[in-house]
Amino acid sequence: MVSDLARMIDQVSREKAVEQDVLIKALEEAVKAAARKKYGPDYDLEVTFNDELGEIEVFEFKEVVENVTNEHVQVSLEEAHRMDPESEFGDSLGIKMDTDKFGRIAAQSAKQVIMQRLKEAERDIVYDDFKDRQGEIINGIVQRFDRGSIIVNLGRTEAELPPKEQVPKESYKQGDRIRAYILDVRQFSRGPQIILSRTHPNFVSALFENEVPEIPEGIVQVMQVAREPGGRTKIAVASKDADVDPVGACVGMKGRRVQAVVQELRGEKIDIVTWHPDSAKFICNALAPAEIIRVIVDEDNRSMEVVVQDDQLSLAIGKRGQNVRLASRLSGWRLDVNSESNYNKTLKDGYKSLLELPGVGEKRATDLYEEGFRSSRDVADTTVAELAGVDGISEKGAEKLIESAIKNIDEEKARLDSEKNTEPEDTALPDSNKSVSEMVSDGEG
């Protein structure tokens, strides 16, 4: 027959999802604490749970001695024989104690220890359950609001969605269902802290993983995500199967898959682009829907100048520079977008500046241009050794060219400064000389 205590342990174990061994150990510690409170620290006590009887047993141990100096831990041979006729000097006798004698205060102490151990066990279980779920999407219900944070009820525990992880345009009220990305799981003395996010780029990746079976199957891979939460996201995808179009897989039949993600993100625009190992080709994909005419790559500075047709410039840049800014983040390259007419004008002006250098005719200017020196500024910024590598230019000639280029640039700068000082100031006009890349990095373009 199962005892009331055993039945209670089983019930609590199921309700709290705590192992029975943990409960029994907590119960043993609690009863031992109660006994210590009742009898003091001098007793040698042992507390165990008897599985067969389904009850807690408390034993006090006493050593059989000739002369008793401490009756709490020692017993005479004569008294020991009354309990066990075969007792001898040096034996340790276990004497079962009556737990009913512990009293109300001791019982209250036992209850407190049990409750404390239960809470600790529950915290450990919750932490163990969530520590490996970082990076997953989880569903919850908005419980309350705390200093800007949204406290989300996950069932067995709560999670926090901090203000910085919330999309500015989104609003929630108590009782709303919410999906979020598990950003971090931390263990504290008061319990685990689960941090959620709806702004993290990986939230978008995880949403696509839920909607596109080819991603968890490993056929389609999310290579990179760049996101401005609430506005626009660019996601680069690749396929390991030549027969599977990664963009088509993510869009889905009639756009159902991508629309499911857009709906969860409450209308956030999503551009799905094909990843390419060639950085220039990848940039062309990333700047879609704008059509790219030319890409000039600067590997050393990890930057690219992108040239588009005049009527495509605003499309490539995007509203407030968003399109090129996201493409830059997606690729990891600094981008400078230019129209075809401006680019051609820059080339002509650069070639003209080469012709203005002393001793440089059309052939020399063409040789310099073909070696990558597109303007007198390029000449001024180079070294003698690099410039002497151009066919027909000696080290001495290179020194003179560099000096002349620096002199021309300084004179041009002085002329522009002089003109600027004589012009009336108009603070209402924007800086029309600012490049697209500068505008993008400033967040104004």
Side-chain angles (χ1 to χ4, degrees):
M1 183 177 180
V2 181
S3 70
D4 291 340
L5 180 58
R7 191 179 294 107
M8 183 192 72
I9 291 172
D10 181 62
Q11 182 180 346
V12 173
S13 174
R14 283 186 281 105
E15 289 178 357
K16 301 290 185 179
V18 179
E19 293 290 337
Q20 289 195 20
D21 290 346
V22 174
L23 285 174
I24 290 171
K25 186 176 180 181
L27 193 60
E28 290 173 348
E29 290 179 10
V31 173
K32 191 170 186 177
R36 290 278 184 215
K37 199 171 188 72
K38 172 70 175 176
Y39 296 106
D42 294 337
Y43 285 80
D44 181 11
L45 302 176
E46 184 178 294
V47 180
T48 57
F49 179 74
N50 189 316
D51 291 322
E52 294 181 2
L53 299 176
E55 64 180 31
I56 290 286
E57 295 180 331
V58 182
F59 292 89
E60 62 170 323
F61 285 87
K62 293 185 178 183
E63 183 184 2
V64 181
V65 295
E66 187 173 355
N67 297 313
V68 176
T69 57
N70 185 345
E71 61 181 11
H72 294 155
V73 292
Q74 295 174 337
V75 64
S76 66
L77 183 62
E78 182 182 352
E79 188 176 347
H81 280 162
R82 283 198 290 269
M83 292 180 281
D84 182 1
E86 297 181 0
S87 298
E88 297 178 0
F89 287 121
D91 287 349
S92 180
L93 291 181
I95 306 164
K96 189 172 182 179
M97 303 179 72
D98 185 359
T99 54
D100 293 337
K101 294 181 180 179
F102 291 168
R104 182 181 60 81
I105 297 176
Q108 184 66 26
S109 175
K111 182 179 178 182
Q112 289 174 355
V113 172
I114 291 171
M115 295 306 297
Q116 179 65 27
R117 293 294 182 272
L118 271 176
K119 287 178 182 178
E120 291 173 1
E122 283 183 302
R123 286 198 293 260
D124 290 342
I125 289 169
V126 170
Y127 177 73
D128 290 340
D129 185 28
F130 282 93
K131 68 179 180 180
D132 296 325
R133 297 180 63 183
Q134 191 171 329
E136 290 184 14
I137 290 178
I138 198 162
N139 297 305
I141 297 174
V142 176
Q143 183 92 356
R144 65 184 187 279
F145 302 90
D146 182 14
R147 290 175 292 185
S149 294
I150 299 175
I151 307 303
V152 181
N153 187 340
L154 302 180
R156 294 183 57 191
T157 189
E158 293 179 343
E160 179 185 358
L161 183 64
K164 67 178 182 179
E165 302 298 337
Q166 299 173 28
V167 178
K169 296 179 182 178
E170 293 182 351
S171 61
Y172 294 90
K173 60 182 184 295
Q174 191 173 8
D176 283 351
R177 296 194 66 83
I178 187 170
R179 294 179 81 191
Y181 176 81
I182 301 178
L183 183 63
D184 195 11
V185 181
R186 307 166 189 163
Q187 179 71 298
F188 294 99
S189 58
R190 63 181 182 274
Q193 184 182 22
I194 301 165
I195 306 297
L196 304 179
S197 175
R198 281 185 61 85
T199 62
H200 200 282
N202 288 348
F203 181 44
V204 180
S205 302
L207 287 172
F208 271 102
E209 187 172 345
N210 287 348
E211 296 294 334
V212 183
E214 290 87 347
I215 294 178
E217 288 171 5
I219 300 172
V220 172
Q221 187 176 1
V222 176
M223 304 300 293
Q224 192 59 266
V225 180
R227 186 184 182 202
E228 293 188 354
R232 195 179 204 97
T233 289
K234 282 186 181 288
I235 178 169
V237 292
S239 175
K240 293 184 178 179
D241 188 336
D243 295 330
V244 177
D245 172 23
V247 174
C250 292
V251 172
M253 187 74 69
K254 297 182 180 179
R256 288 172 186 163
R257 290 176 177 177
V258 69
Q259 282 304 315
V261 176
V262 169
Q263 186 176 356
E264 176 57 44
L265 298 177
R266 301 194 174 190
E268 184 171 310
K269 295 179 178 64
I270 297 178
D271 299 332
I272 307 171
V273 301
T274 304
W275 180 82
H276 199 284
D278 185 292
S279 299
K281 291 180 180 178
F282 180 37
I283 288 297
C284 293
N285 295 340
L287 284 172
E291 295 181 7
I292 312 302
I293 297 175
R294 186 178 288 105
V295 177
I296 300 91
V297 181
D298 182 353
E299 293 278 359
D300 294 336
N301 297 312
R302 198 166 175 79
S303 65
M304 295 187 192
E305 184 177 7
V306 181
V307 182
V308 299
Q309 291 181 359
D310 290 17
D311 61 353
Q312 294 272 301
L313 183 61
S314 60
L315 186 63
I317 296 170
K319 187 177 180 181
R320 296 183 180 178
Q322 188 181 64
N323 193 52
V324 67
R325 189 163 57 247
L326 286 173
S328 178
R329 291 180 193 169
L330 194 70
S331 62
W333 287 73
R334 183 179 181 273
L335 303 180
D336 191 355
V337 181
N338 213 342
S339 65
E340 186 178 20
S341 58
N342 281 341
Y343 176 72
N344 290 335
K345 183 178 181 302
T346 302
L347 291 183
K348 289 177 183 177
D349 291 346
Y351 188 78
K352 183 181 176 183
S353 71
L354 291 174
L355 290 171
E356 291 173 351
L357 295 174
V360 176
E362 288 191 4
K363 183 181 183 308
R364 177 61 52 82
T366 301
D367 290 341
L368 287 167
Y369 195 87
E370 289 177 351
E371 289 294 331
F373 300 99
R374 304 297 174 91
S375 67
S376 59
R377 180 170 291 280
D378 289 344
V379 175
D381 291 340
T382 192
T383 63
V384 171
E386 288 178 345
L387 193 57
V390 178
D391 187 33
I393 298 180
S394 64
E395 288 191 4
K396 190 173 182 180
E399 287 180 8
K400 288 183 178 180
L401 274 179
I402 291 172
E403 289 174 2
S404 299
I406 293 173
K407 182 180 178 182
N408 283 6
I409 291 170
D410 290 342
E411 289 176 353
E412 179 67 14
K413 184 176 183 297
R415 184 184 65 80
L416 291 173
D417 288 342
S418 177
E419 290 178 359
K420 185 178 179 182
N421 291 332
T422 58
E423 289 178 359
E425 188 175 350
D426 187 352
T427 56
L429 290 175
D431 183 2
S432 59
N433 292 322
K434 181 175 277 190
S435 71
V436 170
S437 59
E438 288 175 320
M439 290 159 60
V440 167
S441 62
D442 291 345
E444 9 170 302

